Amino acid sequence: MITIKNLHAKVEGKEILKGVNLQVNAGEIHAIMGPNGSGKSTLANVLAGHEGYEVTAGEVIFEGKDLIDMPPEDRAREGLFLAFQYPVEIPGITNTVFLQTAINEIRKYRGLPELGAKEFLDLMREKSKILNIDSSLISRSVNVGFSGGEKKKNEIFQLLMIDPKLAILDETDSGLDIDALKIVAKGINVFHNDKNAVIVVTHYQRLLDYIVPDFVHVLYDGKIIKSGDKNLALQLEKEGYDQLIKEAAEIEA
Amino acid sequence: MANSNKPNIKDKYIKDFELFESKLNGQSKSYLHSLRKTAIEKFKSAEFPTLKDEEWRYTNVKPILQSEFIPAANAGEITPSAGEAEKHLYTGFDYYKLVFVNGIFQPALSDIDGITGNAIVSNLGSLKEPELQKLKTHMESIGDSDNAFNILNKAFSVDGAVIFLPDNFILDKPVQILYLTGNEKSEILSSPRNLIVAGKNSQAKIIINYQPLFDVKYFTNVVTDVFTDENAIIDFYKIQNESEKAFHIDKIDITQKGKSVVSNFSLSFGGALVRNDINVLLDDEYIENHLYGLYLATGTQHVDNHTFIDHAKPNCESNELYKGILDEKARGIFSGKILVRKDAQKTNAFQSNKSVLLSDSATVDAKPQLEIYADDVKCSHGATVGQLDMTAYFYILSRGIPADLAKSMLIRAFANDVIEPIKIAALKEQLNHQILQHLHSKDF
Ligand SMILES: Nc1ncnc2c1ncn2[C@@H]1O[C@H](COP(=O)(O)OP(=O)(O)OP(=O)(O)O)[C@@H](O)[C@H]1O
Ligand SMILES: [Mg+2]
């Protein structure tokens, strides 16, 4: 699905990613953990094509295509989706208009006919049911006046509507109460199948109780310093990052 | 020829007036013409503003003065078809319709069936003596705020929209006033004079829609007076969609009495050189005034917005929000003055002006002014200039939406707090669409 090799990236002159290597295959769920400021969101943004980040070395191949010089809208059309850590409010643009525009632009790119109003509404109804989203929320402007939890749910709603190949979820579990967490996890599990893949960025094991990862990676200071299976997350939950960071420093030295 | 040897432009308009007058025959003794005569006399000693005038320091009117516009009353009449007029109307809701071509009323294209009682929804040119009697007190003066353009309007104003609401009259539908301007054969001066008088407890929603009949150069020079008596509620939507080659100078004077509520929207899309003046006098207690402004400009468009709110009495509230979006080499100006007089205790006055520049060559000048002589008041003002929100831009792109549409969505988002308070849903929707369509440049 996606192959990331020796990825280096800068923001405002400062190097944040310092050689990330990662391989994600169809059907897999990967969790990326790591202390605050280690570069997790930077990695997610770089993959989605944020222009504020400059890739200085390395390559990213997504479904056989080089992503580095591809504009963000084309990455989305190729099937990459980023659920934002801080979803953005867009006053005056309703969720309906926003999603219908997005979906039809993606379909146009793939040579598919646009979705008609009826098909689109049916799809909205189906997906919003999975997430228990009130239809009044959908008719409102994108994320405007949404609670923190509602914004995160809305990201997963967009994920289900757009149905990409690779979903990168940046701390979608942060700020959710336990019921909302279960609903979001359910949404991710409904989305996931053996043809697509998920990268979840998270600080907490509690999400991984519901979305069981095939691999867990620890990102620290712009590099993946350790990879393992789901037990690595359990270990981190107990012991924190200190020991791992020390070990990594020793190897470096 | 545009050189300094040509006759003075003022002399030209004075001659135009003589020609106009010579064709009036019987009407030259009418009340309306006596007003015009007063105006032309005043015009003879008036001077057009220059960059040296503080209130005009950002707007050079030379391009207007170097053109020899023909007052519409002296030019041949053109009558567009109903279908042509229809294309320029905002639709999807019921409204009374007053249509003007080059500032002259078109009864065949208008529709005011159903206006009852003593209300007047009509045009200046066809007012009868008893109707004029009701309005005279609001028509006679040439005020201190009149500059040479405004006086010129009053000299050539043969027509314009007139709305008179008697006490307790609630207009059941909005009025849409359509000004279609332009003539393929000559450069036209259109001089609409609009008058809105709202009696005690009356209510109305009024749309004034300025549109080109032809995509040519012309000059719309408007004066609009609005008077609201106690407890009246008036929503006034001015939507300026003139030709990209046109000049548009508009002065709106609003005088409010106790507890009346005026929401004034000034939405500016078209025009090569545009000047919008709004003067509000809060002449009583417990008045509410809302001024919403939106100006979108691109190419070499020049849009100058001037507002003046005079808090003359205590316990009033004014709320002003202007937003500008400027692309390419467009230039925007916002000058907003709030005067709180000594008597006007417990005044609440808020003003905000925000602009975004979509290109490096676009410019904006903001000049907020607070002048406060009362001590127990709450006033604030602020002006910001920025770019579109890049995080939001990335968010929209990351959903597969193309750059130009993403940008339009952000512009719509930026304009939201000016558009959202519009109370006519179908109008709001069409304005949304217009905003999304308006600016097209590829990158920013
Ligand atoms: N646009 C930016 N401008 C300046 N510094 C930035 C920018 N984006 C990220 N950084 C810096 O890069 C580093 C990594 O940030 P990033 O957001 O990727 O961390 P993170 O791992 O996602 O942290 P968290 O767990 O707190 O979300 C931080 O030091 C941050 O301050
Ligand atoms: Mg982060």
Side-chain angles (χ1 to χ4, degrees):
Chain A
M1 178 80 49
I2 194 165
T3 307
I4 303 166
K5 277 191 197 149
N6 189 34
L7 185 64
H8 289 249
K10 269 204 249 184
V11 60
E12 284 170 14
K14 185 174 141 206
E15 183 161 60
I16 309 291
L17 298 184
K18 301 175 179 173
V20 174
N21 293 291
L22 184 66
Q23 164 78 35
V24 176
N25 300 311
E28 293 177 351
I29 297 180
H30 289 240
I32 296 180
M33 307 184 78
N36 295 129
S38 57
K40 302 181 299 296
S41 294
T42 302
L43 176 61
N45 282 320
V46 166
L47 293 180
H50 194 302
E51 280 178 17
Y53 300 85
E54 187 197 345
V55 173
T56 50
E59 65 171 20
V60 181
I61 305 295
F62 175 62
E63 294 281 84
K65 287 188 176 142
D66 185 353
L67 282 193
I68 299 298
D69 292 322
M70 196 185 278
E73 60 273 30
D74 281 348
R75 300 184 194 206
R77 296 161 184 172
E78 290 288 346
L80 191 144
F81 178 89
L82 171 62
F84 280 54
Q85 181 172 2
Y86 305 107
V88 174
E89 299 187 3
I90 316 173
I93 306 292
T94 62
N95 281 299
T96 314
V97 165
F98 186 62
L99 273 172
Q100 194 164 16
T101 309
I103 287 173
N104 281 333
E105 289 293 340
I106 293 168
R107 291 178 68 92
K108 254 196 276 177
Y109 181 85
R110 297 184 186 162
L112 297 169
E114 294 191 13
L115 276 193
K118 166 110 185 29
E119 290 165 286
F120 178 75
L121 285 176
D122 288 346
L123 190 67
M124 292 236 294
R125 215 165 286 134
E126 178 201 328
K127 303 301 184 191
S128 60
K129 224 191 250 163
I130 296 170
L131 298 173
N132 251 339
I133 293 181
D134 201 77
S135 62
S136 69
L137 210 63
I138 293 168
S139 60
R140 274 162 52 183
S141 294
V142 179
N143 292 326
V144 177
F146 286 29
S147 73
E150 285 168 341
K151 284 182 184 169
K152 296 301 179 79
K153 254 201 210 177
N154 198 30
E155 292 294 280
I156 298 303
F157 177 59
Q158 291 181 19
L159 167 73
L160 291 178
M161 290 293 292
I162 290 172
D163 193 24
K165 291 181 200 156
L166 173 64
I168 303 166
L169 312 176
D170 191 359
E171 293 199 29
T172 304
D173 55 334
S174 297
L176 295 181
D177 67 40
I178 192 68
D179 293 326
L181 181 77
K182 280 187 197 163
I183 291 172
V184 159
K186 180 181 161 200
I188 298 167
N189 284 325
V190 167
F191 161 74
H192 184 54
N193 59 39
D194 59 3
K195 294 204 176 54
N196 61 31
V198 181
I199 298 175
V200 287
V201 174
T202 182
H203 287 291
Y204 306 107
Q205 171 59 35
R206 59 175 204 163
L207 176 69
L208 305 180
D209 289 341
Y210 300 103
I211 308 166
V212 182
D214 302 291
F215 300 93
V216 174
H217 312 276
V218 176
L219 190 72
Y220 175 72
D221 193 22
K223 270 189 275 197
I224 290 178
I225 57 167
K226 175 120 187 161
S227 296
D229 63 11
K230 63 181 182 195
N231 293 314
L232 176 57
L234 291 167
Q235 180 198 330
L236 290 171
E237 179 97 336
K238 265 194 250 125
E239 298 170 7
Y241 295 107
D242 284 0
Q243 188 56 31
L244 273 183
I245 292 168
K246 246 184 239 156
E247 281 170 23
E250 276 160 22
I251 294 166
E252 197 91 329
Chain B
M1 266 192 333
N3 63 42
S4 52
N5 294 332
K6 76 177 184 187
N8 181 296
I9 191 69
K10 263 175 66 185
D11 294 343
K12 176 198 126 53
Y13 285 126
I14 292 163
K15 278 218 181 67
D16 286 339
F17 187 86
E18 285 161 9
L19 175 65
F20 163 61
E21 194 167 45
S22 72
K23 293 195 291 189
L24 275 178
N25 302 326
Q27 282 185 39
S28 62
K29 302 244 152 28
S30 72
Y31 167 70
L32 284 178
H33 193 64
S34 72
L35 295 180
R36 293 192 289 257
K37 271 162 68 172
T38 311
I40 199 77
E41 283 312 312
K42 194 92 181 179
F43 179 73
K44 288 175 184 168
S45 60
E47 292 301 332
F48 284 107
T50 69
L51 293 174
K52 293 201 187 84
D53 293 297
E54 183 54 29
E55 299 304 322
W56 291 81
R57 55 183 288 208
Y58 299 111
T59 297
N60 188 349
V61 298
K62 257 200 194 134
I64 303 180
L65 303 181
Q66 282 167 349
S67 310
E68 301 195 351
F69 293 105
I70 299 177
N74 291 352
E77 281 201 36
I78 25 171
T79 313
S81 66
E84 174 66 26
E86 210 63 34
K87 278 196 292 193
H88 294 94
L89 287 158
Y90 290 96
T91 56
F93 58 102
D94 282 343
Y95 49 83
Y96 297 109
K97 182 166 65 173
L98 295 172
V99 178
F100 296 80
V101 171
N102 293 330
I104 316 280
F105 186 61
Q106 306 292 312
L109 300 176
S110 301
D111 179 8
I112 48 169
D113 277 0
I115 300 282
T116 53
N118 296 320
I120 301 170
V121 175
S122 183
N123 66 305
L124 197 58
S126 62
L127 291 183
K128 304 280 177 316
E129 191 52 35
E131 296 169 328
L132 280 172
Q133 283 303 334
K134 288 188 210 169
L135 299 168
K136 269 184 181 170
T137 52
H138 300 296
M139 289 175 60
E140 312 225 355
S141 59
I142 287 181
D144 295 341
S145 71
D146 284 321
N147 61 43
F149 287 112
N150 309 140
I151 296 168
L152 184 68
N153 164 281
K154 291 178 180 182
F156 283 106
S157 57
V158 290
D159 224 336
V162 177
I163 296 175
F164 171 82
L165 308 171
D167 291 350
N168 304 312
F169 189 91
I170 295 175
L171 202 57
D172 57 340
K173 298 186 271 190
V175 181
Q176 181 166 189
I177 303 161
L178 173 64
Y179 280 100
L180 284 170
T181 311
N183 182 330
E184 279 177 312
K185 295 194 201 79
S186 46
E187 296 181 350
I188 290 286
L189 166 64
S190 170
S191 310
R193 174 88 197 271
N194 303 305
L195 179 61
I196 295 160
V197 180
K200 294 188 175 77
N201 305 308
S202 66
Q203 295 182 18
K205 294 186 174 70
I206 297 157
I207 300 160
I208 298 200
N209 176 9
Y210 295 93
Q211 296 266 359
L213 183 56
F214 297 101
D215 187 22
V216 295
K217 182 170 159 187
Y218 58 82
F219 177 20
T220 301
N221 182 29
V222 201
V223 173
T224 301
D225 288 297
V226 181
F227 298 88
T228 58
D229 210 333
E230 288 169 20
N231 289 306
I233 302 176
I234 298 296
D235 289 359
F236 189 65
Y237 303 93
K238 181 213 159 171
I239 310 166
Q240 186 275 107
N241 293 304
E242 304 277 24
S243 138
E244 305 279 309
K245 302 182 183 91
F247 302 127
H248 181 96
I249 291 191
D250 177 20
K251 184 179 73 139
I252 302 176
D253 283 328
I254 301 173
T255 305
Q256 291 185 246
K257 288 292 180 189
K259 297 183 188 148
S260 64
V261 182
V262 170
S263 301
N264 186 84
F265 292 79
S266 176
L267 311 174
S268 200
F269 296 99
L273 193 164
V274 176
R275 165 79 177 219
N276 298 310
D277 271 279
I278 300 175
N279 302 305
V280 182
L281 173 60
L282 306 179
D283 198 20
D284 206 339
E285 295 195 48
Y286 300 102
I287 294 167
E288 240 184 81
N289 177 275
H290 302 271
L291 296 184
Y292 298 99
L294 178 69
Y295 42 108
L296 270 67
T298 186
T300 55
Q301 281 182 284
H302 179 109
V303 185
D304 183 349
N305 295 290
H306 263 66
T307 66
F308 172 53
I309 302 176
D310 185 348
H311 278 267
K313 300 279 161 67
N315 293 307
C316 294
E317 180 181 328
S318 68
N319 226 312
E320 181 173 13
L321 175 63
Y322 266 68
K323 289 199 159 181
I325 298 147
L326 302 151
D327 200 357
E328 297 182 355
K329 291 186 177 140
R331 174 132 195 230
I333 293 117
F334 172 81
S335 165
K337 181 169 171 178
I338 298 174
L339 169 64
V340 181
R341 292 182 193 265
K342 215 168 141 206
D343 275 355
Q345 299 296 357
K346 307 271 181 205
T347 287
N348 280 332
F350 304 100
Q351 181 193 82
S352 155
N353 169 237
K354 293 185 177 150
S355 322
V356 291
L357 302 178
L358 302 181
S359 98
D360 291 342
S361 329
T363 55
V364 66
D365 291 286
K367 200 175 119 194
Q369 296 157 267
L370 283 181
E371 226 176 89
I372 302 174
Y373 299 102
D375 44 35
D376 184 12
V377 300
K378 271 192 216 145
C379 295
S380 70
H381 67 86
T384 61
V385 181
Q387 271 76 40
L388 289 180
D389 178 349
M390 292 311 284
T391 309
Y393 182 57
F394 173 57
Y395 184 73
I396 301 172
L397 292 178
S398 80
R399 299 305 183 242
I401 294 171
D404 57 345
L405 242 180
K407 189 171 146 188
S408 295
M409 284 183 173
L410 288 180
I411 289 165
R412 173 60 188 85
F414 175 75
N416 193 55
D417 33 9
V418 173
I419 297 301
E420 210 44 52
I422 291 175
K423 291 192 197 87
I424 304 166
L427 176 66
K428 180 154 74 178
E429 197 177 305
Q430 282 159 88
L431 288 167
N432 270 336
H433 195 71
Q434 224 181 314
I435 293 167
L436 288 176
Q437 296 286 305
H438 193 76
L439 300 163
H440 292 294
S441 60
K442 304 290 170 288
D443 38 46
F444 68 102

